[in-house]
Structures are given as C-alpha cells and as structure tokens.
Amino acid sequence: MSAPAVTVRPWTTVIEAARTAARARVRQIFVTDHHDRLVGVVTRNELLHALVRDDSAIHDEIVDRVLRELDIPSSRVRVRVRNGVVTLTGALNAARIAALTEAVKRIADVSEVDDLLTEI
C-alpha cells in the first residue's frame, strides 16, 4: 500500500478517478467523504470496466439505435462485435453502406469497423 493513501470523493467522475489511479500507479483508490472518512474502495479494474462498454452493449446500440435511425432492417445487416471491432456483413445500396459505416465509427468504444457489406 502506498502512503499517503490515494483518495477521491464520491462525486469524482470515473474518468478522473481512473486518471488519479493511473498517475499514482495504484490498484485501488479509497473514496472519502467531505470529513475524510472512508466510504468505499474502488479498484482499477472496476474503473476500467466502467469506462469501456462490453461488446454486447456496442452490438445492441448498433442494432437497436443505429439501424433503426437509418431505417435499415436488421435482417439486411449482420453485426458482429469482438474487442470493440465491429464487422458488418450483408447487402445494401451504396449510400446506406456509407451512412451505416460512418454512424458505427462514431459510437463510443468502437475501435475499428470492418465493412464487408456488398452493394445491391
């Protein structure tokens, strides 16, 4: 354990808490109230998990929001997400392919888009 203990307040954002942990190179951060009383402990893994959505959440956003907003039937496009990399397969017209790939690239936590869509 490092001394003095690395602490954050309950109202500290997850991003700031993660930065604090990274700068201090600690595995956990203590959460203290305005009287410096311990109210909790947050681990580095918990912070990272809170910052990065899992693949299923990304998949659901694409299928439930993006395809609906672009009026693309989910039966026309197969969406696969692995480690933040989205693979799109299916057949659409050229304008819809461009719109879909651009919309997917703008989604938080998408690291790459593999556009395997074919033109109809």
Side-chain angles (χ1 to χ4, degrees), residues 4-9 12 17 20 24 26 28-32 36 38 40:
V6 178
T7 64
V8 294
R9 302 294 188 183
T12 303
T20 300
V26 295
Q28 61 186 10
I29 291 187
F30 298 98
V31 182
T32 58
D36 291 326
L38 182 66

Side-chain angles (χ1 to χ4, degrees), residues 60-74 96 100:
D60 292 347
E61 181 174 350
I62 295 167
V63 172
D64 296 339
R65 183 185 63 79
V66 175
L67 291 179
R68 184 176 300 134
E69 286 177 1
L70 296 174
D71 197 29
I72 298 172
S74 59
R96 285 194 169 189
L100 177 58

Side-chain angles (χ1 to χ4, degrees), residues 21 26-28 42-52:
V26 295
R27 293 185 184 161
Q28 61 186 10
V42 181
T43 67
R44 180 173 47 200
N45 285 343
E46 290 169 329
L47 291 169
L48 291 173
H49 185 71
L51 288 172
V52 179

